[in-house]
Amino acid sequence: MELKSQLKALADKIADLKDKIGTEESTKHAFVLPFINILGYDTFNPTEVVPEFTADIGLKKGEKVDYAIFQNGIPILIIECKNWKESLTNHNSQLFRYFHTTKTRFSLLTNGIEYRFYTDLENSNKMDERPFLEFDITKLKDSEVHEISKFQKSSFDVDTIVSNASSLKYTKEIKKCIVEELGAPSYDLVRLFTGKVYEGRLTEKVIQEFTGLVQKAFNQTISERINDRLNSALSKESEEQHMTNEEEPIPESKIITTEEELEAYRIIVAILRKKLDINRIAHRDTQSYFGVLLDDNNRKPICRLHFNTGIKYIGLFDENKIEKREPITCVDDIYNYDIELLNTAEYYMSQEN
């Protein structure tokens, strides 16, 4: 896909240049204008891309937004830019004021790396407080590239984008709620599920007792679903490997991966998927331990499973990659170390920025 490759090239450029970019103006020229060009708009045509577009607000005259993109003489997207080092949080108020003074249905707040697209789903001609499309250009998913393509000059259609914006926005918000509930089930959710399985009176004590059970049930359900998918994929891979090598002798391996190790791995995947794409989580079995890695990289160990002795241990890593072994009685005990596992993953992710 041409758009995807162009965005990837811009992401690579950002990684190379960002430490040399020190101002908002430099951010605009190095990061934001190339993005506008990728969408197909001519940044050298002042009738198509208007810098410092005037958006008068009531008695305040001469208020300007960084860029406005025009189509057929009508602004279709206004853009407010910040320095790439700045967080976009709490910066949408200025854009909010500009929105209702123009005829546009879309606005964009960006620091050249993070992009937040807004529209007026909740109140006509009043910009929503939350974006319907949000992404980091250095960590794009295919689904996000698809949504970005709708803003290309060649395919831009207001009605198409607006009709899809509602689904995008509220699906994203629901997913956030699900992640929060998985981490710490709310009172209402616990009461809902407890009421379905508990026949007694739902006292505060009962709700407290069931809070941990609901969280555990959620995590185990996710683990089992991942387990089923992994088993299916492993089974298919095994069949294909067998067909390929059915006439070749298979050397005996001293490394034996047990079902218990795989079950523990699936639990770890279920925990880490709150922060990581599951495709980034890998495992390697050795004669002495079963390792879980980020990006299949030995320099990024997330944990190790020591199941080959009488007492089982999970090895956890700190920021200095020093392993600390914790005894466990069964694989379900791994859920007790979800914070440590997520902290290790977050540390490696922070080093990528």
Side-chain angles (χ1 to χ4, degrees), residues 109-189:
L109 177 64
T110 181
N111 58 11
I113 297 176
E114 293 180 63
Y115 287 76
R116 298 179 182 179
F117 285 83
Y118 298 82
T119 188
D120 55 351
L121 294 173
E122 295 175 10
N123 293 289
S124 180
N125 202 34
K126 182 179 179 182
M127 192 182 90
D128 297 336
E129 291 187 6
R130 294 191 294 269
F132 69 89
L133 176 60
E134 186 175 0
F135 59 85
D136 182 326
I137 197 169
T138 64
K139 302 173 184 176
L140 279 177
K141 301 179 178 67
D142 287 345
S143 59
E144 292 168 339
V145 174
H146 177 68
E147 297 304 328
I148 295 169
S149 70
K150 295 174 183 175
F151 282 91
Q152 287 183 291
K153 180 179 179 180
S154 59
S155 56
F156 182 86
D157 181 79
V158 173
D159 293 336
T160 299
I161 299 175
V162 170
S163 64
N164 190 50
S166 177
S167 174
L168 274 177
K169 177 180 178 179
Y170 296 118
T171 298
K172 181 187 70 174
E173 294 299 325
I174 291 170
K175 286 168 68 176
K176 283 183 180 179
C177 291
I178 291 173
V179 171
E180 291 172 0
E181 293 286 4
L182 287 172
S186 65
Y187 179 90
D188 290 339
L189 185 74

Coordinates of all heavy atoms in Angstrom, one line a residue, residues 109-189:
L109 N -5.5 18.1 16.0 CA -4.5 18.6 17.0 C -3.3 17.6 16.9 O -3.5 16.4 17.0 CB -5.1 18.6 18.4 CG -4.1 19.0 19.5 CD1 -3.6 20.5 19.4 CD2 -4.8 18.8 20.9
T110 N -2.1 18.2 16.7 CA -0.9 17.3 16.5 C 0.3 17.9 17.0 O 0.5 19.2 17.0 CB -0.8 16.9 15.0 OG1 0.3 16.0 14.9 CG2 -0.6 18.1 14.1
N111 N 1.3 17.1 17.4 CA 2.6 17.6 17.6 C 3.6 16.9 16.6 O 4.8 16.8 16.9 CB 3.1 17.2 19.1 CG 3.0 15.8 19.4 OD1 2.8 14.9 18.5 ND2 3.1 15.4 20.7
G112 N 3.0 16.4 15.5 CA 3.8 15.8 14.5 C 4.1 14.3 14.7 O 4.5 13.6 13.8
I113 N 3.8 13.9 15.9 CA 3.9 12.4 16.2 C 2.6 11.9 16.6 O 2.1 10.9 16.0 CB 5.0 12.2 17.3 CG1 6.4 12.7 16.9 CG2 5.0 10.7 17.7 CD1 7.4 12.6 17.9
E114 N 2.0 12.5 17.6 CA 0.6 12.1 18.0 C -0.4 13.0 17.2 O -0.2 14.2 17.0 CB 0.4 12.4 19.4 CG 1.2 11.5 20.4 CD 0.9 11.8 21.8 OE1 -0.3 11.6 22.2 OE2 1.8 12.2 22.5
Y115 N -1.5 12.3 16.7 CA -2.5 13.0 15.9 C -3.9 12.7 16.5 O -4.2 11.5 16.8 CB -2.5 12.5 14.5 CG -1.3 13.0 13.6 CD1 -0.1 12.5 13.8 CD2 -1.5 14.0 12.7 CE1 1.0 13.0 13.1 CE2 -0.4 14.5 12.0 CZ 0.8 14.0 12.1 OH 1.9 14.5 11.4
R116 N -4.7 13.8 16.7 CA -6.0 13.6 17.3 C -7.0 14.4 16.4 O -6.9 15.6 16.2 CB -6.1 14.2 18.7 CG -5.2 13.4 19.7 CD -5.2 14.0 21.1 NE -4.3 13.3 22.0 CZ -4.1 13.6 23.3 NH1 -4.8 14.6 23.8 NH2 -3.2 12.9 24.0
F117 N -7.9 13.6 15.8 CA -8.9 14.2 14.9 C -10.2 14.3 15.6 O -10.7 13.3 16.3 CB -9.1 13.3 13.6 CG -8.0 13.4 12.6 CD1 -6.8 12.6 12.8 CD2 -8.1 14.2 11.5 CE1 -5.8 12.7 11.8 CE2 -7.1 14.3 10.6 CZ -6.0 13.5 10.7
Y118 N -10.9 15.4 15.5 CA -12.1 15.7 16.1 C -13.2 16.1 15.1 O -12.9 16.5 14.0 CB -12.0 16.9 17.1 CG -11.0 16.8 18.2 CD1 -9.6 17.0 18.0 CD2 -11.4 16.5 19.5 CE1 -8.7 16.9 19.0 CE2 -10.5 16.3 20.5 CZ -9.1 16.5 20.3 OH -8.2 16.4 21.3
T119 N -14.5 15.9 15.5 CA -15.6 16.4 14.8 C -16.7 16.8 15.7 O -16.4 17.0 16.9 CB -16.1 15.3 13.8 OG1 -17.1 15.9 12.9 CG2 -16.7 14.1 14.5
D120 N -17.9 16.9 15.3 CA -19.0 17.4 16.1 C -20.2 16.4 16.2 O -21.3 16.7 15.9 CB -19.5 18.8 15.6 CG -20.0 18.7 14.2 OD1 -19.7 17.7 13.5 OD2 -20.6 19.7 13.7
L121 N -19.9 15.3 16.8 CA -20.9 14.2 16.9 C -22.0 14.5 17.9 O -23.1 14.2 17.7 CB -20.2 12.9 17.2 CG -19.3 12.3 16.2 CD1 -18.6 11.1 16.7 CD2 -20.0 11.9 14.9
E122 N -21.6 15.1 19.0 CA -22.5 15.3 20.1 C -23.4 16.5 20.0 O -24.5 16.5 20.3 CB -21.7 15.3 21.4 CG -21.0 14.0 21.7 CD -20.1 14.0 22.9 OE1 -20.2 15.0 23.7 OE2 -19.4 13.0 23.1
N123 N -22.8 17.6 19.5 CA -23.5 18.9 19.3 C -23.1 19.5 18.0 O -21.9 19.7 17.8 CB -23.3 19.9 20.4 CG -23.9 19.4 21.7 OD1 -25.1 19.3 21.9 ND2 -23.1 19.0 22.7
S124 N -24.0 19.8 17.1 CA -23.7 20.3 15.7 C -22.9 21.6 15.9 O -23.2 22.5 16.7 CB -25.0 20.6 15.0 OG -24.7 21.1 13.7
N125 N -21.8 21.7 15.1 CA -20.9 22.9 15.0 C -20.2 23.2 16.3 O -19.8 24.3 16.6 CB -21.7 24.1 14.6 CG -20.8 25.2 14.0 OD1 -19.8 24.9 13.3 ND2 -21.1 26.4 14.2
K126 N -20.1 22.2 17.2 CA -19.4 22.3 18.5 C -18.5 21.1 18.6 O -18.9 20.0 18.7 CB -20.4 22.4 19.7 CG -19.7 22.6 21.0 CD -20.8 22.6 22.1 CE -20.1 22.8 23.5 NZ -21.1 22.8 24.6
M127 N -17.2 21.4 18.6 CA -16.2 20.3 18.6 C -16.3 19.4 19.8 O -16.4 19.9 20.9 CB -14.8 20.9 18.5 CG -13.7 19.8 18.2 SD -12.1 20.6 18.1 CE -11.6 20.4 19.9
D128 N -16.4 18.1 19.6 CA -16.4 17.1 20.7 C -15.1 17.3 21.6 O -14.1 17.7 21.1 CB -16.5 15.7 20.2 CG -17.7 15.4 19.4 OD1 -18.7 16.1 19.6 OD2 -17.7 14.5 18.6
E129 N -15.2 17.0 22.8 CA -14.1 17.1 23.7 C -13.1 15.9 23.5 O -11.9 16.1 23.7 CB -14.5 17.1 25.2 CG -15.3 18.3 25.6 CD -15.6 18.3 27.1 OE1 -15.1 17.4 27.8 OE2 -16.3 19.3 27.5
R130 N -13.6 14.8 23.0 CA -12.7 13.7 22.8 C -12.6 13.4 21.3 O -13.6 13.5 20.5 CB -13.2 12.4 23.5 CG -13.2 12.6 25.0 CD -13.5 11.2 25.7 NE -14.9 10.8 25.4 CZ -15.9 11.0 26.2 NH1 -15.8 11.8 27.3 NH2 -17.1 10.6 25.9
P131 N -11.4 13.0 20.8 CA -11.2 12.7 19.4 C -11.9 11.4 19.0 O -12.1 10.5 19.8 CB -9.7 12.6 19.3 CG -9.2 12.2 20.6 CD -10.2 12.8 21.6
F132 N -12.2 11.4 17.7 CA -12.8 10.1 17.2 C -11.7 9.2 16.5 O -11.9 8.0 16.4 CB -13.9 10.4 16.1 CG -13.4 11.0 14.8 CD1 -13.0 10.2 13.8 CD2 -13.4 12.3 14.7 CE1 -12.6 10.7 12.6 CE2 -13.0 12.9 13.5 CZ -12.6 12.1 12.4
L133 N -10.6 9.9 16.2 CA -9.4 9.1 15.7 C -8.2 9.6 16.3 O -7.9 10.8 16.3 CB -9.4 9.3 14.1 CG -8.2 8.7 13.4 CD1 -8.1 7.2 13.6 CD2 -8.2 9.0 11.9
E134 N -7.4 8.7 16.9 CA -6.2 9.1 17.6 C -5.1 8.1 17.3 O -5.3 6.9 17.4 CB -6.5 9.1 19.1 CG -5.4 9.6 20.0 CD -5.8 9.8 21.4 OE1 -7.0 9.5 21.7 OE2 -5.0 10.2 22.3
F135 N -3.9 8.5 16.9 CA -2.8 7.6 16.6 C -1.5 8.2 16.8 O -1.3 9.4 16.9 CB -3.0 7.0 15.2 CG -2.9 8.1 14.1 CD1 -1.7 8.5 13.6 CD2 -4.1 8.6 13.6 CE1 -1.6 9.5 12.6 CE2 -4.0 9.6 12.6 CZ -2.8 10.0 12.1
D136 N -0.5 7.4 17.0 CA 0.9 7.7 17.0 C 1.5 7.3 15.7 O 1.5 6.1 15.4 CB 1.6 7.0 18.2 CG 3.1 7.4 18.3 OD1 3.8 7.6 17.3 OD2 3.6 7.5 19.5
I137 N 2.1 8.2 14.9 CA 2.5 7.9 13.5 C 3.7 6.9 13.6 O 4.0 6.3 12.6 CB 2.9 9.2 12.8 CG1 2.9 8.9 11.3 CG2 4.2 9.8 13.3 CD1 3.0 10.1 10.4
T138 N 4.4 6.9 14.7 CA 5.6 5.9 14.8 C 5.1 4.5 15.2 O 6.0 3.6 15.2 CB 6.6 6.5 15.8 OG1 6.0 6.5 17.1 CG2 7.1 7.9 15.4
K139 N 3.9 4.4 15.5 CA 3.4 3.0 15.9 C 2.1 2.7 15.2 O 1.1 2.2 15.9 CB 3.2 3.0 17.4 CG 4.5 3.3 18.2 CD 4.2 3.4 19.7 CE 5.4 3.8 20.5 NZ 5.1 4.0 21.9
L140 N 2.0 3.0 13.9 CA 0.7 2.8 13.2 C 0.3 1.4 13.1 O 1.1 0.5 12.7 CB 0.8 3.5 11.8 CG 0.6 5.0 11.8 CD1 0.9 5.5 10.4 CD2 -0.7 5.4 12.3
K141 N -1.0 1.2 13.2 CA -1.6 -0.1 12.9 C -2.3 0.0 11.5 O -2.6 1.1 11.1 CB -2.7 -0.5 14.0 CG -2.1 -0.6 15.4 CD -3.3 -0.9 16.4 CE -2.8 -1.1 17.8 NZ -2.3 0.2 18.3
D142 N -2.5 -1.2 10.9 CA -3.1 -1.2 9.6 C -4.5 -0.5 9.6 O -4.9 0.2 8.7 CB -3.2 -2.6 9.0 CG -1.9 -3.1 8.6 OD1 -0.9 -2.3 8.4 OD2 -1.7 -4.4 8.4
S143 N -5.3 -0.8 10.7 CA -6.6 -0.2 10.8 C -6.6 1.3 10.8 O -7.4 2.0 10.3 CB -7.3 -0.7 12.1 OG -6.6 -0.4 13.2
E144 N -5.5 1.9 11.5 CA -5.4 3.3 11.5 C -5.0 3.9 10.2 O -5.5 5.0 9.8 CB -4.3 3.7 12.6 CG -4.8 3.3 14.0 CD -3.7 3.4 15.0 OE1 -2.5 3.3 14.6 OE2 -4.0 3.5 16.2
V145 N -4.1 3.2 9.4 CA -3.8 3.6 8.1 C -5.0 3.7 7.2 O -5.2 4.6 6.4 CB -2.8 2.7 7.4 CG1 -2.5 3.1 6.0 CG2 -1.5 2.7 8.2
H146 N -5.9 2.7 7.4 CA -7.2 2.7 6.6 C -8.0 4.0 6.9 O -8.6 4.6 6.0 CB -8.0 1.5 7.0 CG -9.3 1.4 6.3 ND1 -9.5 1.2 5.0 CD2 -10.6 1.5 6.8 CE1 -10.8 1.2 4.7 NE2 -11.5 1.4 5.8
E147 N -8.1 4.3 8.2 CA -8.9 5.5 8.6 C -8.2 6.8 8.1 O -8.9 7.7 7.7 CB -9.0 5.6 10.1 CG -9.8 4.4 10.7 CD -11.2 4.3 10.1 OE1 -11.8 5.3 9.7 OE2 -11.7 3.1 10.0
I148 N -6.9 6.9 8.1 CA -6.1 8.0 7.6 C -6.4 8.2 6.1 O -6.5 9.3 5.6 CB -4.6 7.9 7.9 CG1 -4.3 7.9 9.4 CG2 -3.8 9.0 7.2 CD1 -2.9 7.5 9.7
S149 N -6.5 7.1 5.4 CA -6.7 7.2 3.9 C -8.0 7.9 3.6 O -8.1 8.5 2.5 CB -6.8 5.7 3.3 OG -8.0 5.1 3.7
K150 N -9.0 8.0 4.5 CA -10.2 8.6 4.2 C -10.1 10.2 4.1 O -10.9 10.9 3.6 CB -11.3 8.3 5.3 CG -11.7 6.8 5.2 CD -12.6 6.4 6.4 CE -12.9 4.9 6.3 NZ -13.7 4.5 7.5
F151 N -8.9 10.6 4.7 CA -8.7 12.1 4.7 C -7.8 12.5 3.4 O -7.5 13.6 3.3 CB -8.0 12.5 5.9 CG -8.9 12.7 7.1 CD1 -9.2 11.6 8.0 CD2 -9.6 13.9 7.3 CE1 -10.0 11.8 9.0 CE2 -10.5 14.0 8.4 CZ -10.7 13.0 9.2
Q152 N -7.5 11.5 2.6 CA -6.7 11.8 1.4 C -7.5 12.6 0.5 O -8.8 12.5 0.4 CB -6.2 10.5 0.7 CG -5.1 9.8 1.4 CD -4.6 8.6 0.7 OE1 -5.4 7.6 0.6 NE2 -3.4 8.6 0.1
K153 N -6.9 13.5 -0.3 CA -7.6 14.4 -1.2 C -8.4 13.6 -2.2 O -9.5 14.0 -2.5 CB -6.6 15.3 -1.9 CG -7.2 16.3 -2.9 CD -6.1 17.1 -3.5 CE -6.7 18.1 -4.6 NZ -5.6 18.9 -5.2
S154 N -7.9 12.5 -2.7 CA -8.5 11.7 -3.7 C -9.8 11.0 -3.2 O -10.6 10.6 -4.1 CB -7.5 10.7 -4.3 OG -7.1 9.8 -3.3
S155 N -9.9 10.8 -1.9 CA -11.1 10.0 -1.4 C -11.9 10.8 -0.4 O -12.8 10.2 0.2 CB -10.6 8.7 -0.9 OG -9.6 8.9 0.1
F156 N -11.5 12.0 -0.1 CA -12.2 12.8 1.0 C -13.7 12.9 0.7 O -14.1 13.4 -0.3 CB -11.5 14.1 1.2 CG -12.1 14.9 2.3 CD1 -11.6 14.7 3.6 CD2 -13.2 15.8 2.1 CE1 -12.2 15.5 4.7 CE2 -13.7 16.5 3.2 CZ -13.2 16.3 4.5
D157 N -14.5 12.5 1.7 CA -15.9 12.7 1.6 C -16.4 12.9 3.0 O -16.3 12.0 3.9 CB -16.6 11.4 1.0 CG -18.1 11.6 0.9 OD1 -18.6 12.3 0.0 OD2 -18.8 11.0 1.8
V158 N -17.0 14.1 3.3 CA -17.5 14.4 4.6 C -18.4 13.4 5.2 O -18.3 13.0 6.4 CB -18.1 15.8 4.6 CG1 -18.7 16.1 6.0 CG2 -17.1 16.9 4.3
D159 N -19.4 13.1 4.5 CA -20.5 12.2 5.0 C -19.9 10.8 5.4 O -20.3 10.2 6.4 CB -21.6 12.0 3.9 CG -22.4 13.3 3.7 OD1 -22.4 14.2 4.6 OD2 -23.0 13.5 2.6
T160 N -19.0 10.3 4.5 CA -18.4 9.0 4.8 C -17.6 9.0 6.1 O -17.8 8.1 7.0 CB -17.5 8.5 3.7 OG1 -18.2 8.4 2.5 CG2 -16.8 7.2 4.0
I161 N -16.8 10.0 6.3 CA -16.0 10.1 7.5 C -16.9 10.3 8.7 O -16.7 9.7 9.8 CB -15.0 11.3 7.4 CG1 -14.1 11.0 6.2 CG2 -14.2 11.4 8.7 CD1 -13.1 12.2 5.9
V162 N -17.9 11.2 8.7 CA -18.7 11.5 9.8 C -19.5 10.3 10.2 O -19.6 9.9 11.4 CB -19.7 12.7 9.5 CG1 -20.7 12.8 10.6 CG2 -18.9 14.0 9.4
S163 N -20.0 9.5 9.2 CA -20.8 8.4 9.5 C -20.0 7.3 10.2 O -20.5 6.5 11.0 CB -21.5 7.8 8.3 OG -20.5 7.3 7.4
N164 N -18.7 7.2 9.9 CA -17.8 6.2 10.5 C -17.2 6.7 11.8 O -16.8 5.9 12.6 CB -16.7 5.9 9.5 CG -15.9 4.7 10.0 OD1 -16.5 3.6 10.3 ND2 -14.6 4.8 10.0
A165 N -17.2 8.0 12.0 CA -16.6 8.6 13.2 C -17.2 8.2 14.5 O -16.5 7.9 15.5 CB -16.6 10.2 13.1
S166 N -18.5 8.1 14.5 CA -19.3 7.7 15.7 C -18.8 6.3 16.1 O -18.5 6.1 17.3 CB -20.8 7.7 15.4 OG -21.5 7.3 16.5
S167 N -18.8 5.4 15.1 CA -18.4 4.0 15.5 C -16.9 4.0 16.0 O -16.6 3.3 17.0 CB -18.5 3.1 14.2 OG -18.0 1.8 14.5
L168 N -16.1 4.7 15.3 CA -14.6 4.8 15.8 C -14.5 5.3 17.2 O -13.8 4.7 18.0 CB -13.8 5.7 14.8 CG -13.3 5.1 13.5 CD1 -12.6 6.2 12.8 CD2 -12.3 4.0 13.8
K169 N -15.2 6.4 17.4 CA -15.0 7.1 18.7 C -15.5 6.3 19.9 O -14.8 6.0 20.9 CB -15.8 8.4 18.7 CG -15.7 9.2 20.0 CD -16.5 10.5 19.9 CE -16.5 11.2 21.3 NZ -17.2 12.5 21.2
Y170 N -16.7 5.7 19.7 CA -17.3 5.0 20.8 C -16.8 3.6 21.0 O -16.7 3.1 22.1 CB -18.9 5.0 20.7 CG -19.4 6.4 20.8 CD1 -20.1 7.0 19.7 CD2 -19.2 7.2 21.9 CE1 -20.6 8.3 19.8 CE2 -19.7 8.5 22.0 CZ -20.3 9.1 20.9 OH -20.8 10.4 21.0
T171 N -16.3 3.0 19.9 CA -15.6 1.7 20.0 C -14.4 1.9 20.8 O -14.0 1.1 21.7 CB -15.3 1.1 18.7 OG1 -16.5 0.9 18.0 CG2 -14.6 -0.2 18.8
K172 N -13.6 3.0 20.5 CA -12.4 3.3 21.2 C -12.6 3.5 22.7 O -11.9 3.0 23.6 CB -11.7 4.5 20.6 CG -10.4 4.9 21.3 CD -9.9 6.2 20.7 CE -10.7 7.4 21.2 NZ -10.2 8.7 20.9
E173 N -13.7 4.3 23.0 CA -14.0 4.5 24.4 C -14.4 3.3 25.2 O -14.1 3.1 26.3 CB -15.1 5.6 24.5 CG -14.7 7.0 24.0 CD -13.6 7.6 24.7 OE1 -13.5 7.4 26.0 OE2 -12.8 8.3 24.1
I174 N -15.2 2.4 24.5 CA -15.6 1.2 25.1 C -14.4 0.3 25.4 O -14.3 -0.4 26.5 CB -16.6 0.4 24.2 CG1 -18.0 1.2 24.2 CG2 -16.9 -1.0 24.7 CD1 -19.0 0.7 23.2
K175 N -13.5 0.2 24.4 CA -12.2 -0.6 24.6 C -11.4 -0.1 25.8 O -10.9 -0.9 26.6 CB -11.4 -0.5 23.4 CG -12.0 -1.4 22.2 CD -11.3 -1.1 20.9 CE -9.9 -1.6 20.9 NZ -9.2 -1.4 19.6
K176 N -11.4 1.2 26.0 CA -10.7 1.8 27.2 C -11.4 1.4 28.5 O -10.7 1.0 29.4 CB -10.7 3.3 27.1 CG -9.7 3.9 26.1 CD -9.7 5.4 26.2 CE -8.7 6.1 25.2 NZ -8.8 7.6 25.3
C177 N -12.7 1.4 28.4 CA -13.5 0.9 29.6 C -13.2 -0.5 29.9 O -13.1 -0.9 31.1 CB -15.0 1.1 29.4 SG -15.5 2.9 29.3
I178 N -13.1 -1.4 28.9 CA -12.9 -2.8 29.1 C -11.5 -3.0 29.7 O -11.3 -3.8 30.6 CB -13.0 -3.5 27.7 CG1 -14.4 -3.6 27.3 CG2 -12.5 -5.0 27.9 CD1 -14.6 -4.1 25.9
V179 N -10.5 -2.3 29.2 CA -9.1 -2.4 29.8 C -9.1 -2.0 31.3 O -8.5 -2.6 32.1 CB -8.1 -1.5 29.0 CG1 -6.8 -1.4 29.7 CG2 -8.0 -2.1 27.6
E180 N -9.9 -0.9 31.6 CA -9.9 -0.4 33.0 C -10.6 -1.5 33.8 O -10.2 -1.8 35.0 CB -10.7 0.9 33.0 CG -9.9 2.1 32.4 CD -10.7 3.3 32.3 OE1 -11.9 3.3 32.8 OE2 -10.2 4.3 31.9
E181 N -11.7 -2.1 33.3 CA -12.4 -3.1 34.1 C -11.6 -4.3 34.3 O -11.7 -5.0 35.3 CB -13.7 -3.5 33.3 CG -14.8 -2.4 33.3 CD -15.5 -2.1 34.6 OE1 -15.1 -2.7 35.6 OE2 -16.4 -1.3 34.6
L182 N -10.8 -4.7 33.3 CA -9.9 -5.8 33.4 C -8.8 -5.6 34.5 O -8.5 -6.5 35.3 CB -9.2 -6.2 32.1 CG -10.0 -6.8 31.0 CD1 -9.3 -6.8 29.7 CD2 -10.5 -8.2 31.4
G183 N -8.4 -4.4 34.6 CA -7.4 -4.0 35.6 C -8.0 -3.9 37.0 O -7.4 -4.4 38.0
A184 N -9.1 -3.3 37.1 CA -9.8 -3.1 38.4 C -11.3 -3.1 38.2 O -11.8 -2.0 37.9 CB -9.3 -1.8 39.1
P185 N -12.0 -4.2 38.3 CA -13.4 -4.2 38.1 C -14.2 -3.2 38.9 O -13.9 -3.0 40.1 CB -13.8 -5.6 38.5 CG -12.6 -6.4 38.4 CD -11.5 -5.5 38.7
S186 N -15.1 -2.5 38.3 CA -15.9 -1.5 39.0 C -17.0 -2.1 39.9 O -17.3 -3.3 39.7 CB -16.5 -0.5 38.0 OG -17.5 -1.2 37.2
Y187 N -17.5 -1.3 40.8 CA -18.6 -1.8 41.7 C -19.8 -2.3 40.8 O -20.3 -3.4 41.1 CB -19.0 -0.7 42.6 CG -20.1 -1.1 43.5 CD1 -19.9 -1.6 44.8 CD2 -21.4 -0.9 43.2 CE1 -20.9 -2.0 45.7 CE2 -22.5 -1.2 44.0 CZ -22.2 -1.8 45.3 OH -23.2 -2.1 46.1
D188 N -20.2 -1.5 39.8 CA -21.3 -1.9 39.0 C -21.1 -3.2 38.3 O -22.0 -4.0 38.2 CB -21.6 -0.8 38.0 CG -22.2 0.5 38.7 OD1 -22.7 0.4 39.9 OD2 -22.1 1.6 38.1
L189 N -19.9 -3.4 37.7 CA -19.6 -4.6 37.0 C -19.6 -5.8 37.9 O -20.2 -6.9 37.6 CB -18.3 -4.5 36.3 CG -18.0 -5.7 35.4 CD1 -18.8 -5.7 34.1 CD2 -16.5 -5.8 35.0

